[in-house]
Amino acid sequence: MNTLPAMDKCDAFLAQAREALSAGRAGEALAHFVRAVKSRQGEWPSPAEEAACYAEVGRAYHQAGRPGKARGFLERALRLRALPPRETALLLSRAGYVAQDLGKLAQAESCYRRSIHLLERLGETRLGAEVRINLGNLHARQGASLKMLRRAREA
């Protein structure tokens, strides 16, 4: 019989999930994250901890090749508005990457721009440059799409 309090169980599941995710075992991480969220039964110590957990679940789904599920958890984490600015900027960058994977290019651009804005305010020039590269890749993809549309119209 398991007598660990719900909070301790959740922390144990989260630790296992983070370990699996860092080792590249996204499927295993997801199973632990699901158990962690269920063990909380909707009660979190703080909105920041809830947001951080949802952000990690989103990351795990993305790494598992399930961007649709990832998007939902990332958006849930962002709606809580509970993370510090740097973590919010990183979350926005990941949300942009996921939106780009889903073909939601306008949403991806919005996420990237919001991330860059936060990172610039924080003086995080290196991270800001990385997100700008993602934005540049998005623009390149949009340009390639426009070229394909022009070619299709000419045919």
Side-chain angles (χ1 to χ4, degrees), residues 21-79:
L21 192 57
S22 68
R25 300 186 313 268
E28 180 185 334
L30 283 170
H32 293 303
F33 277 128
V34 166
R35 286 195 281 281
V37 170
K38 284 182 180 178
S39 73
R40 285 280 192 220
Q41 301 173 340
E43 294 183 22
W44 294 87
S46 71
E49 286 189 49
E50 183 178 8
C53 183
Y54 290 142
E56 289 179 298
V57 174
R59 179 175 156 224
Y61 271 117
H62 191 233
Q63 286 184 356
R66 298 176 64 188
K69 291 286 276 187
R71 180 178 175 216
F73 279 96
L74 297 174
E75 287 176 353
R76 192 170 180 179
L78 286 166
R79 276 194 307 271

Coordinates of all heavy atoms in Angstrom, one line a residue, residues 21-79:
L21 N 12.7 12.7 -19.7 CA 12.7 13.7 -20.7 C 14.1 14.1 -21.1 O 14.5 14.2 -22.3 CB 11.8 14.9 -20.3 CG 11.5 15.9 -21.4 CD1 10.7 15.2 -22.6 CD2 10.6 17.0 -20.9
S22 N 14.9 14.3 -20.1 CA 16.3 14.7 -20.3 C 17.1 13.6 -21.0 O 18.1 13.9 -21.7 CB 17.0 15.2 -19.1 OG 17.2 14.2 -18.1
A23 N 16.7 12.4 -20.8 CA 17.4 11.2 -21.4 C 16.8 10.9 -22.8 O 17.2 9.9 -23.4 CB 17.2 10.0 -20.5
G24 N 15.8 11.7 -23.2 CA 15.3 11.5 -24.6 C 14.2 10.5 -24.6 O 13.8 10.1 -25.7
R25 N 13.6 10.1 -23.5 CA 12.6 9.1 -23.5 C 11.2 9.8 -23.3 O 10.6 9.8 -22.2 CB 12.8 8.1 -22.4 CG 14.1 7.3 -22.6 CD 14.4 6.2 -21.6 NE 14.1 6.5 -20.2 CZ 15.0 7.0 -19.3 NH1 16.2 7.2 -19.7 NH2 14.6 7.3 -18.0
A26 N 10.8 10.5 -24.3 CA 9.6 11.3 -24.2 C 8.3 10.5 -23.9 O 7.5 11.0 -23.1 CB 9.3 12.1 -25.5
G27 N 8.2 9.3 -24.4 CA 7.0 8.5 -24.1 C 6.9 8.2 -22.6 O 5.8 8.3 -22.0
E28 N 8.0 7.8 -22.1 CA 8.1 7.4 -20.6 C 7.8 8.7 -19.8 O 7.1 8.6 -18.8 CB 9.5 6.8 -20.3 CG 9.6 6.5 -18.8 CD 11.0 6.0 -18.5 OE1 11.7 5.5 -19.4 OE2 11.4 6.1 -17.4
A29 N 8.4 9.8 -20.2 CA 8.2 11.1 -19.5 C 6.7 11.4 -19.5 O 6.2 11.8 -18.5 CB 9.0 12.2 -20.2
L30 N 6.1 11.2 -20.6 CA 4.6 11.6 -20.7 C 3.8 10.8 -19.7 O 2.9 11.3 -19.0 CB 4.1 11.4 -22.1 CG 4.5 12.4 -23.1 CD1 4.1 12.0 -24.5 CD2 3.8 13.7 -22.7
A31 N 4.1 9.5 -19.6 CA 3.4 8.6 -18.6 C 3.6 9.1 -17.2 O 2.6 9.2 -16.4 CB 3.9 7.2 -18.7
H32 N 4.8 9.5 -16.8 CA 5.0 10.1 -15.5 C 4.3 11.4 -15.3 O 3.8 11.7 -14.2 CB 6.5 10.2 -15.2 CG 7.2 8.9 -15.1 ND1 6.9 7.9 -14.2 CD2 8.3 8.4 -15.8 CE1 7.7 6.9 -14.3 NE2 8.6 7.2 -15.3
F33 N 4.4 12.3 -16.3 CA 3.7 13.6 -16.2 C 2.2 13.4 -16.0 O 1.6 14.1 -15.2 CB 4.0 14.4 -17.5 CG 5.3 15.2 -17.5 CD1 6.1 15.1 -18.5 CD2 5.6 16.0 -16.4 CE1 7.3 15.8 -18.6 CE2 6.8 16.7 -16.4 CZ 7.7 16.6 -17.5
V34 N 1.6 12.5 -16.8 CA 0.2 12.3 -16.6 C -0.2 11.8 -15.2 O -1.1 12.3 -14.6 CB -0.3 11.2 -17.7 CG1 -1.7 10.7 -17.3 CG2 -0.3 11.8 -19.1
R35 N 0.7 10.9 -14.7 CA 0.5 10.5 -13.3 C 0.6 11.7 -12.3 O -0.1 11.8 -11.3 CB 1.4 9.4 -12.9 CG 1.0 8.0 -13.5 CD 1.7 6.8 -12.9 NE 3.0 6.6 -13.3 CZ 3.4 6.0 -14.5 NH1 2.5 5.6 -15.3 NH2 4.7 5.9 -14.8
A36 N 1.6 12.5 -12.6 CA 1.8 13.7 -11.7 C 0.6 14.6 -11.7 O 0.1 15.1 -10.7 CB 3.1 14.5 -12.2
V37 N 0.1 14.9 -12.9 CA -1.0 15.9 -13.0 C -2.3 15.2 -12.3 O -3.0 15.9 -11.6 CB -1.3 16.2 -14.5 CG1 -2.6 16.9 -14.7 CG2 -0.2 17.0 -15.1
K38 N -2.5 14.0 -12.6 CA -3.6 13.3 -11.9 C -3.5 13.3 -10.4 O -4.5 13.4 -9.7 CB -3.8 11.9 -12.5 CG -4.4 11.8 -13.9 CD -4.6 10.4 -14.3 CE -5.2 10.4 -15.7 NZ -5.3 9.0 -16.2
S39 N -2.3 13.1 -9.9 CA -2.1 13.0 -8.5 C -2.4 14.4 -7.8 O -2.7 14.4 -6.6 CB -0.7 12.5 -8.1 OG 0.3 13.5 -8.4
R40 N -2.3 15.4 -8.5 CA -2.5 16.8 -7.9 C -4.0 17.0 -7.8 O -4.4 17.8 -7.0 CB -2.0 17.9 -8.8 CG -0.5 18.0 -8.8 CD -0.1 18.8 -7.6 NE 1.3 19.2 -7.8 CZ 2.2 19.2 -6.8 NH1 1.9 18.8 -5.6 NH2 3.5 19.5 -7.1
Q41 N -4.8 16.3 -8.5 CA -6.3 16.5 -8.5 C -6.7 17.9 -8.5 O -7.6 18.3 -7.8 CB -6.8 15.8 -7.2 CG -6.5 14.3 -7.2 CD -6.9 13.6 -5.9 OE1 -7.1 14.3 -4.9 NE2 -7.0 12.3 -5.9
G42 N -6.0 18.7 -9.4 CA -6.4 20.1 -9.5 C -5.9 21.0 -8.5 O -6.2 22.2 -8.5
E43 N -5.1 20.5 -7.5 CA -4.6 21.4 -6.4 C -3.1 21.5 -6.6 O -2.4 20.5 -6.5 CB -5.0 20.8 -5.1 CG -6.5 20.8 -4.8 CD -6.8 20.3 -3.4 OE1 -5.9 20.3 -2.5 OE2 -7.9 19.8 -3.3
W44 N -2.6 22.7 -6.9 CA -1.2 23.0 -7.1 C -0.7 23.9 -6.0 O -1.5 24.8 -5.5 CB -1.0 23.6 -8.4 CG -1.3 22.7 -9.5 CD1 -2.5 22.5 -10.1 CD2 -0.4 21.8 -10.2 NE1 -2.4 21.5 -11.1 CE2 -1.1 21.1 -11.2 CE3 0.9 21.5 -10.1 CZ2 -0.6 20.2 -12.0 CZ3 1.5 20.6 -10.9 CH2 0.8 19.9 -11.9
P45 N 0.5 23.8 -5.5 CA 1.0 24.7 -4.5 C 1.0 26.1 -5.0 O 0.8 27.0 -4.2 CB 2.5 24.2 -4.3 CG 2.6 22.8 -4.9 CD 1.5 22.8 -5.9
S46 N 1.2 26.4 -6.3 CA 1.2 27.7 -6.8 C 0.9 27.7 -8.3 O 1.1 26.7 -9.0 CB 2.5 28.4 -6.6 OG 3.5 27.8 -7.4
P47 N 0.4 28.8 -8.8 CA 0.1 28.8 -10.3 C 1.4 28.7 -11.1 O 1.4 28.1 -12.2 CB -0.5 30.2 -10.5 CG -1.1 30.6 -9.2 CD -0.2 30.0 -8.2
A48 N 2.6 29.1 -10.5 CA 3.8 29.0 -11.2 C 4.2 27.5 -11.4 O 4.7 27.1 -12.4 CB 4.9 29.8 -10.5
E49 N 4.0 26.7 -10.3 CA 4.3 25.3 -10.4 C 3.4 24.6 -11.4 O 3.8 23.7 -12.1 CB 4.2 24.6 -9.0 CG 5.4 25.0 -8.1 CD 5.4 24.2 -6.9 OE1 5.3 23.0 -6.9 OE2 5.6 24.8 -5.8
E50 N 2.1 25.0 -11.4 CA 1.2 24.4 -12.4 C 1.6 24.7 -13.8 O 1.7 23.9 -14.7 CB -0.2 24.9 -12.1 CG -1.3 24.3 -13.0 CD -2.7 24.8 -12.7 OE1 -2.8 25.8 -11.8 OE2 -3.6 24.3 -13.3
A51 N 2.0 26.0 -14.0 CA 2.4 26.5 -15.4 C 3.7 25.7 -15.8 O 3.8 25.3 -17.0 CB 2.6 28.0 -15.4
A52 N 4.6 25.6 -14.9 CA 5.9 24.9 -15.2 C 5.6 23.5 -15.6 O 6.2 22.9 -16.5 CB 6.8 25.0 -14.0
C53 N 4.7 22.8 -14.9 CA 4.4 21.4 -15.2 C 3.8 21.3 -16.6 O 4.2 20.5 -17.4 CB 3.5 20.8 -14.1 SG 3.1 19.1 -14.4
Y54 N 2.8 22.2 -16.9 CA 2.1 22.1 -18.2 C 3.1 22.4 -19.3 O 3.1 21.8 -20.4 CB 1.0 23.1 -18.2 CG -0.2 22.6 -17.4 CD1 -1.0 23.5 -16.7 CD2 -0.5 21.3 -17.2 CE1 -2.0 23.1 -15.9 CE2 -1.6 20.9 -16.4 CZ -2.3 21.8 -15.8 OH -3.4 21.4 -15.0
A55 N 4.1 23.3 -19.0 CA 5.1 23.6 -20.0 C 6.0 22.4 -20.3 O 6.3 22.1 -21.5 CB 6.0 24.8 -19.6
E56 N 6.3 21.7 -19.3 CA 7.1 20.5 -19.4 C 6.3 19.4 -20.1 O 6.9 18.6 -21.0 CB 7.6 20.0 -18.1 CG 8.7 20.9 -17.5 CD 9.1 20.4 -16.1 OE1 8.3 20.3 -15.2 OE2 10.3 20.1 -16.0
V57 N 5.0 19.2 -19.8 CA 4.2 18.3 -20.5 C 4.2 18.6 -22.0 O 4.3 17.7 -22.9 CB 2.8 18.2 -19.9 CG1 1.9 17.3 -20.7 CG2 2.9 17.7 -18.5
G58 N 4.0 19.9 -22.3 CA 4.0 20.3 -23.7 C 5.3 20.0 -24.4 O 5.3 19.5 -25.5
R59 N 6.4 20.2 -23.7 CA 7.7 19.9 -24.3 C 7.8 18.4 -24.6 O 8.3 18.0 -25.6 CB 8.8 20.3 -23.3 CG 10.2 20.0 -23.8 CD 11.2 20.6 -22.8 NE 12.5 19.9 -22.9 CZ 13.2 19.5 -21.9 NH1 12.8 19.8 -20.6 NH2 14.3 18.8 -22.1
A60 N 7.3 17.6 -23.6 CA 7.4 16.1 -23.8 C 6.5 15.7 -25.0 O 7.0 14.8 -25.8 CB 6.9 15.4 -22.5
Y61 N 5.3 16.2 -25.1 CA 4.5 15.9 -26.3 C 5.2 16.3 -27.6 O 5.1 15.6 -28.6 CB 3.1 16.5 -26.2 CG 2.1 15.7 -25.4 CD1 1.5 16.1 -24.2 CD2 1.7 14.5 -25.9 CE1 0.6 15.4 -23.5 CE2 0.8 13.7 -25.2 CZ 0.3 14.1 -24.1 OH -0.7 13.4 -23.4
H62 N 5.8 17.5 -27.6 CA 6.5 17.9 -28.8 C 7.6 17.0 -29.1 O 7.8 16.6 -30.3 CB 7.0 19.3 -28.6 CG 7.5 19.9 -29.9 ND1 8.7 20.5 -30.0 CD2 6.9 20.0 -31.1 CE1 8.9 20.9 -31.3 NE2 7.8 20.7 -31.9
Q63 N 8.4 16.6 -28.1 CA 9.5 15.7 -28.4 C 9.0 14.3 -28.8 O 9.7 13.6 -29.5 CB 10.4 15.5 -27.2 CG 11.3 16.7 -26.9 CD 12.2 16.6 -25.8 OE1 12.2 15.6 -25.0 NE2 13.1 17.6 -25.5
A64 N 7.8 13.9 -28.4 CA 7.2 12.6 -28.8 C 6.6 12.7 -30.2 O 6.0 11.7 -30.6 CB 6.2 12.2 -27.7
G65 N 6.7 13.9 -30.8 CA 6.1 14.0 -32.2 C 4.6 14.2 -32.2 O 4.0 13.9 -33.2
R66 N 4.1 14.8 -31.1 CA 2.7 15.1 -31.0 C 2.4 16.6 -30.8 O 2.0 17.0 -29.7 CB 2.1 14.2 -29.9 CG 2.2 12.7 -30.2 CD 1.7 11.8 -29.2 NE 0.3 12.0 -29.0 CZ -0.4 11.4 -28.0 NH1 0.3 10.7 -27.1 NH2 -1.7 11.6 -27.8
P67 N 2.7 17.4 -31.8 CA 2.6 18.8 -31.7 C 1.3 19.4 -31.3 O 1.1 20.4 -30.7 CB 3.1 19.4 -33.0 CG 3.0 18.3 -34.0 CD 3.1 17.0 -33.2
G68 N 0.2 18.7 -31.8 CA -1.1 19.1 -31.4 C -1.4 19.1 -30.0 O -1.9 20.0 -29.4
K69 N -1.0 18.0 -29.3 CA -1.2 17.9 -27.9 C -0.2 18.9 -27.2 O -0.6 19.5 -26.2 CB -0.9 16.4 -27.4 CG -1.9 15.4 -27.8 CD -3.1 15.5 -27.0 CE -3.0 14.8 -25.7 NZ -4.3 14.7 -25.0
A70 N 1.0 19.0 -27.7 CA 1.9 19.9 -27.1 C 1.4 21.4 -27.1 O 1.5 22.1 -26.1 CB 3.2 19.9 -27.9
R71 N 0.8 21.8 -28.2 CA 0.2 23.1 -28.3 C -0.8 23.4 -27.2 O -0.8 24.5 -26.5 CB -0.4 23.3 -29.6 CG -1.0 24.6 -29.9 CD -1.6 24.7 -31.2 NE -2.3 26.0 -31.4 CZ -3.4 26.1 -32.1 NH1 -3.9 25.1 -32.7 NH2 -3.9 27.3 -32.2
G72 N -1.7 22.4 -26.9 CA -2.7 22.6 -25.9 C -2.1 22.9 -24.5 O -2.5 23.8 -23.7
F73 N -1.0 22.1 -24.1 CA -0.4 22.2 -22.8 C 0.4 23.5 -22.8 O 0.4 24.2 -21.7 CB 0.4 21.0 -22.5 CG -0.4 19.9 -22.0 CD1 -0.8 18.9 -22.8 CD2 -0.7 19.8 -20.6 CE1 -1.6 17.8 -22.3 CE2 -1.5 18.8 -20.1 CZ -1.9 17.8 -21.0
L74 N 1.1 23.9 -23.8 CA 1.9 25.1 -23.8 C 0.9 26.3 -23.7 O 1.2 27.3 -22.9 CB 2.7 25.2 -25.1 CG 3.8 24.1 -25.3 CD1 4.4 24.3 -26.6 CD2 4.8 24.2 -24.2
E75 N -0.2 26.3 -24.4 CA -1.1 27.4 -24.3 C -1.7 27.5 -22.9 O -1.9 28.6 -22.4 CB -2.3 27.3 -25.3 CG -1.8 27.6 -26.7 CD -2.8 27.3 -27.8 OE1 -3.9 26.8 -27.5 OE2 -2.5 27.7 -29.0
R76 N -2.0 26.3 -22.3 CA -2.5 26.3 -20.9 C -1.5 27.0 -20.0 O -1.9 27.7 -19.1 CB -2.8 24.9 -20.5 CG -3.6 24.7 -19.3 CD -4.0 23.3 -19.1 NE -4.8 23.1 -17.9 CZ -5.3 22.0 -17.6 NH1 -5.2 20.9 -18.3 NH2 -6.0 21.9 -16.5
A77 N -0.2 26.6 -20.1 CA 0.8 27.2 -19.3 C 0.9 28.7 -19.5 O 1.0 29.5 -18.5 CB 2.2 26.6 -19.6
L78 N 0.8 29.2 -20.7 CA 0.8 30.6 -21.0 C -0.4 31.3 -20.4 O -0.3 32.5 -19.9 CB 0.9 30.9 -22.5 CG 2.3 30.6 -23.1 CD1 2.2 30.5 -24.6 CD2 3.3 31.6 -22.7
R79 N -1.6 30.7 -20.5 CA -2.8 31.4 -20.0 C -2.7 31.6 -18.5 O -3.3 32.5 -17.9 CB -4.0 30.5 -20.3 CG -4.6 30.7 -21.6 CD -6.0 30.1 -21.8 NE -6.1 28.7 -21.4 CZ -5.9 27.7 -22.2 NH1 -5.5 27.9 -23.5 NH2 -6.0 26.4 -21.8

